[in-house]
Amino acid sequence: MSVPTVNTAAPKAQQPLAGSDANATVFRILIAISLVHLFNDSIQSVIPAIFPILRSSMHLNYTQIGWISFAINFTSSIMQPVVGWFADRKPAPALLPIGMGFTFTGMLLLAFAGTYPAVLLAVVFVGLGSAAFHPEGSRVSHMAAGPRRGLAQSIFQVGGNAGQSLAPMLTMWIFIPLGLFGAIWFTLVAGAGIAVQIYVARWYGRKLQSGAQVKKKASARQLKPEVRTKVRFAIVMLIILVFVRSWYSSSISTFFPFYLIDHYGLSVDDAQIFIFLFLGAGAVGTFFGGPLADRFGKRNIIFASMVLAAPLALLLPHVGLWGVGVLLALLGLIVFSSFSVTVVYAQMLFPGKIGTVSGLITGLAFGLGGLGALVLGKWIDMAGVDTVMAICSFLPLLGVSTFLLPSDRLLNRWSEGGE
């Protein structure tokens, strides 16, 4: 009789903790998953950051560079919605450390890659690691959010954008002096990520066992046909936004260093500093975007990020070097302020499908970014980097169409069954 007593008492002892976590923002988990996001995205972002080194050491053209970017981003893009869909049906906390294991393998392969195909294989592994991490990481942040969904998503996403911003500096400190073998140091970062992911996965597993997982039936809703049409239209608008933001950020992070080197005569080291300004300011914008959206509305922040960025982007190719630094910082701050907000907005459109929606939006961002790098790289080979950078400056103008997105109030009415 003693064994049944122990088994029945354990869940009762855990229930208050689970209920407390369900109703409150669990900052220790948000910080932990954000830290791993920093590790993951700093590793993923060193791939485009080392393109100038790969170009000179392996004598690559811009099209070949575009294929490397396409390989890592397209792998991540295709797999993220699949992982998210699987996680919504059968949550798998073990995917968190497993994903970092793929990233570890990719950086180990990159450290010893002596040929172009070997580099492609290595970045595919890094892409798989990112695909395994992002949907489940977003689910964890949602479960730990409590009532502060915008803030929680910002904490989660700021880790990723901070990691992206570190990539140019890490390239300058590690890859420029050591070459590709410098990737070996990032296996230590991936190893630390695996350790943190094991901690997060244990919390995640306890939450699932305690019944804190959102039930599909509880979150299901029946939409009228006309509302369903409006939801589809909203998704199309979000895809346009993700396209604009992904292609524009890809043009800056992947090819703008070459523009700085060719147009202003900068060294590779100095060009990386300018990209750091863009990505570092983007991390700050990501953090503040969520709380601002909680206060002023998600649709309003999404629209503001595009309408404020458009004139600055148009001005960027026509200023001096000092102005380039200022505009890059402002553009990063503004453009990325809507990054986490876009994910939360999409989750409001499809409640109960956190992993699928998060994987779709984040995966789409990676996929379109990789496609953008491929297309822009081929275009630069044909027309020159100056011409393509000038044309890319018009991209944020397309994002102004996000003023057509339904308001937050309308989304709330839809979720309650109204029109």
Side-chain angles (χ1 to χ4, degrees):
M1 295 298 293
S2 59
V3 174
T5 302
V6 172
N7 288 341
T8 56
K12 291 179 181 178
Q14 291 177 357
Q15 282 297 333
L17 291 175
S20 174
D21 276 3
N23 297 323
T25 304
V26 189
F27 284 102
R28 73 182 189 280
I29 296 299
L30 290 175
I31 292 172
I33 200 70
S34 180
L35 180 63
V36 178
H37 203 176
L38 185 150
F39 292 161
N40 181 87
D41 283 25
S42 63
I43 292 173
Q44 182 168 348
S45 296
V46 298
I47 305 301
I50 63 174
F51 284 164
I53 297 172
L54 287 171
R55 183 191 177 200
S56 61
S57 63
M58 292 189 172
H59 308 290
L60 306 180
N61 57 36
Y62 288 109
T63 302
Q64 289 174 309
I65 288 171
W67 273 112
I68 297 174
S69 182
F70 180 78
I72 184 172
N73 288 304
F74 191 71
T75 301
S76 179
S77 174
I78 289 296
M79 292 304 299
Q80 280 195 50
V82 175
V83 173
W85 176 82
F86 174 81
D88 281 336
R89 296 173 64 88
K90 187 177 179 60
L95 276 178
L96 293 170
I98 289 173
M100 288 304 295
F102 278 112
T103 303
F104 178 96
T105 302
M107 296 312 286
L108 186 64
L109 291 173
L110 186 63
F112 296 98
T115 63
Y116 180 66
V119 171
L120 288 174
L121 177 63
V123 301
V124 165
F125 270 93
V126 176
L128 288 172
S130 182
F133 166 72
H134 280 98
E136 282 290 63
S138 191
R139 283 179 60 85
V140 168
S141 71
H142 182 82
M143 293 174 72
R148 303 177 178 179
R149 292 176 60 188
L151 174 63
Q153 190 64 218
S154 284
I155 293 174
F156 172 62
Q157 296 292 353
V158 77
N161 284 14
Q164 292 175 27
S165 71
L166 290 175
M169 308 309 293
L170 293 172
T171 299
M172 189 168 63
W173 296 330
I174 296 175
F175 284 103
I176 289 177
L178 299 179
L180 273 187
F181 186 72
I184 198 70
W185 289 103
F186 290 92
T187 60
L188 301 179
V189 177
I194 292 172
V196 178
Q197 290 288 57
I198 290 173
Y199 168 75
V200 173
R202 286 175 177 170
W203 177 87
Y204 186 8
R206 288 196 299 269
K207 292 286 287 184
L208 295 174
Q209 290 174 3
S210 71
Q213 182 186 9
V214 178
K215 300 292 189 295
K216 290 184 181 180
K217 291 182 181 179
S219 60
R221 59 178 181 172
Q222 295 296 325
L223 295 178
K224 298 179 180 179
E226 59 269 25
V227 174
R228 241 183 255 118
T229 300
K230 294 175 182 177
V231 169
R232 293 192 191 101
F233 176 78
I235 283 294
V236 171
M237 289 294 100
L238 285 185
I239 291 173
I240 292 174
L241 169 66
V242 172
F243 162 76
V244 168
R245 193 172 55 214
S246 298
W247 275 52
Y248 187 72
S249 62
S250 180
S251 71
I252 298 296
S253 61
T254 303
F255 297 111
F256 204 74
F258 299 109
Y259 176 81
L260 291 169
I261 292 169
D262 294 349
H263 193 76
Y264 295 99
L266 297 184
S267 65
V268 174
D269 286 12
D270 290 340
Q272 296 295 336
I273 294 173
F274 279 83
I275 305 307
F276 172 75
L277 287 175
F278 175 73
L279 296 175
V284 176
T286 299
F287 178 78
F288 286 105
L292 287 172
D294 285 340
R295 181 176 178 84
F296 298 107
K298 297 168 184 60
R299 194 278 301 269
N300 294 337
I301 295 301
I302 290 172
F303 172 63
S305 72
M306 290 293 101
V307 75
L308 294 176
L312 301 180
L314 289 170
L315 189 60
L316 182 62
H318 307 289
V319 297
L321 191 59
W322 184 86
V324 167
V326 173
L327 289 178
L328 282 176
L330 289 174
L331 281 165
L333 185 72
I334 295 169
V335 169
F336 285 98
S337 65
S338 64
F339 191 87
S340 62
V341 182
T342 307
V343 177
V344 177
Y345 188 95
Q347 290 171 353
M348 290 176 67
L349 285 172
F350 298 98
K353 299 181 179 180
I354 305 302
T356 304
V357 172
S358 302
L360 177 64
I361 294 298
T362 310
L364 190 63
F366 283 122
L368 288 175
L371 180 62
L374 180 60
V375 173
L376 293 175
K378 182 67 175 179
W379 199 2
I380 290 172
D381 278 334
M382 297 170 58
V385 67
D386 284 27
T387 300
V388 174
M389 289 299 102
I391 294 173
C392 286
S393 68
F394 288 88
L395 279 172
L397 280 175
L398 297 175
V400 176
S401 62
T402 52
F403 81 94
L404 297 172
L405 283 171
S407 67
D408 295 40
R409 185 178 301 175
L410 186 56
L411 289 187
N412 289 330
R413 286 213 306 270
W414 291 349
S415 66
E416 294 168 359
E419 289 188 43

